[in-house]
């Protein structure tokens, strides 16, 4: 259960975007719910555990508010690091939908095929694998959480309408649901200039785009900030790969969104 003290420690609500661009020290959760600890210790993700501290796994899951019984839509799952965590957190009454954009199949086709096989096993029976156009997120039902890690910038390079994409994320969520965006920080004021070259994006640009879809900015975690990242080099550079400074934003679909839709 999230307490006000825990969330105050984990997040910098209404944190100025200039502060996000200027790296600050990371924070760690003072306590971890039992269901997160159980997910961390799942034997099926033994190979992932070496990356849990670097990726701040517990802090991210707590900040996202993912809990047993939730429905999570994960965009561009990559190796499935977060899928393995989320599957165990949401448990048998929850569901995780992997969304693999068709425009990225040349990079992720093999990974998607592997997950189709894994999703057919009892251990990952709560995982669904979807291939669909990047232009629109369309998972079955409504989600509690839509999550993307280090891929929001990639959507800018696919020739789609980002405004339409963000609106489809909004529509995919339940009222009160959240959109969690983690991405590599680009210099303040750079906007979307570096999405294809450095594979970074200005946090201010992300905030502006997603709020335009109807979301309310609901907090920023400092857990993945790295003061040593100069922010102006490619994320794949040997000097910084795996250790880039990243923002973690939470955007919430207003809880009264369903009522507003009925009255307009």
């Amino acid at each position: 259960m999230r307490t006000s003290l825990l969330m105050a420690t984990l997040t910098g609500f209404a944190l100025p975007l200039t502060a996000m661009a200027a790296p600050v020290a990371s924070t760690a959760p003072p306590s971890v719910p039992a269901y997160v600890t159980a997910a961390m210790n799942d034997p099926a993700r033994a190979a992932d555990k070496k990356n849990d501290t670097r990726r701040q796994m517990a802090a991210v899951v707590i900040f996202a508010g993912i809990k047993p019984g939730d429905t999570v839509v994960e965009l561009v799952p990559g190796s499935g690091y977060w899928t393995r965590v989320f599957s165990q957190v949401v448990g048998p009454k929850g569901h995780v939908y992997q969304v693999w954009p068709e425009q990225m199949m040349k990079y992720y086709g093999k990974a998607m095929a592997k997950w189709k096989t894994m999703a057919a096993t009892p251990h990952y029976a709560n995982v669904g694998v979807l291939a669909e156009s990047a232009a629109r997120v369309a998972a079955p039902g409504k989600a509690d959480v839509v999550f993307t890690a280090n891929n929001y910038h990639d959507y800018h390079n696919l020739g789609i309408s980002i405004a339409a994409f963000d609106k489809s994320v909004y529509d995919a969520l339940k009222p009160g649901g959240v959109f969690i965006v983690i991405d590599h920080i680009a210099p303040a004021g750079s906007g979307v200039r570096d999405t294809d070259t450095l594979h970074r994006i200005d946090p201010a640009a992300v905030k502006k785009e997603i709020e335009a879809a109807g979301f309310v900015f609901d907090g920023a975690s400092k857990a993945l900030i790295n003061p040593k990242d100069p922010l102006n080099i490619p994320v794949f550079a040997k000097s910084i790969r795996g250790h880039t400074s990243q923002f973690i934003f939470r955007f919430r679909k207003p809880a009264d969104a369903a009522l507003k839709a009925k009255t307009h």
Side-chain angles (χ1 to χ4, degrees):
M1 180 179 294
R2 293 180 295 171
T3 65
S4 58
L5 175 60
L6 175 59
M7 294 312 297
T9 303
L10 276 174
T11 64
F13 290 102
L15 185 68
L17 287 165
T18 53
M20 287 301 298
V24 293
S26 298
T27 58
S31 62
V32 178
Y35 53 82
V36 176
T37 300
M40 290 175 70
N41 294 327
D42 175 21
R45 61 177 305 278
D48 290 336
K49 289 185 70 65
K50 65 180 181 295
N51 292 315
D52 287 350
T53 298
R54 176 178 65 83
R55 302 188 72 163
Q56 291 292 301
M57 190 272 279
V60 169
V61 174
I62 295 169
F63 177 74
I66 299 171
K67 60 188 183 302
D70 277 357
T71 294
V72 178
V73 174
E74 183 185 1
L75 308 180
V76 199
S79 67
Y81 172 89
W82 291 108
T83 306
R84 286 184 282 276
V85 171
F86 297 157
S87 172
Q88 299 310 300
V89 169
V90 304
K93 293 184 179 180
H95 210 94
V96 179
Y97 290 103
Q98 292 187 331
V99 173
W100 300 83
E102 293 168 349
Q103 292 91 328
M104 297 185 184
M105 280 299 100
K106 65 179 179 179
Y107 304 111
Y108 296 116
K110 290 182 179 180
M112 187 186 77
K114 178 180 178 181
W115 267 100
K116 281 186 174 180
T117 300
M118 293 175 66
T121 66
H123 194 74
Y124 293 110
N126 63 353
V127 175
V129 180
L130 307 172
E132 56 189 44
S133 172
R136 180 172 177 266
V137 176
K142 298 291 185 180
D144 297 284
V145 179
V146 175
F147 178 95
T148 185
N150 298 328
N151 286 294
Y152 185 86
H153 75 272
D154 286 319
Y155 279 87
H156 285 75
N157 306 325
L158 300 178
I160 65 170
S161 166
I162 292 299
F165 164 73
D166 286 331
K167 184 58 168 62
S168 75
V169 174
Y170 183 93
D171 292 340
L173 285 162
K174 300 174 182 177
V178 297
F179 185 19
I180 303 296
V181 179
I182 302 173
D183 220 326
H184 310 284
I185 298 175
S190 62
V192 299
R193 179 193 66 200
D194 301 324
T195 60
D196 193 34
T197 52
L198 305 183
H199 290 271
R200 297 174 180 268
I201 192 166
D202 183 351
V206 175
K207 186 172 183 288
K208 182 178 180 179
E209 289 176 350
I210 297 178
E211 287 182 325
F215 284 98
V216 176
F217 183 66
D218 194 44
S221 171
K222 307 173 187 177
L224 292 175
I225 295 296
N226 176 12
K228 296 181 180 180
D229 183 358
L231 309 183
N232 60 359
I233 59 175
V235 301
F236 301 115
K238 289 183 179 180
S239 62
I240 201 65
R241 187 169 187 173
H243 301 282
T244 58
S245 195
Q246 301 164 43
F247 63 86
I248 310 174
F249 281 174
R250 184 175 62 229
F251 299 90
R252 190 172 299 277
K253 180 175 182 176
D256 61 351
L259 178 61
K260 287 182 178 178
K262 290 180 180 180
T263 56
H264 285 80

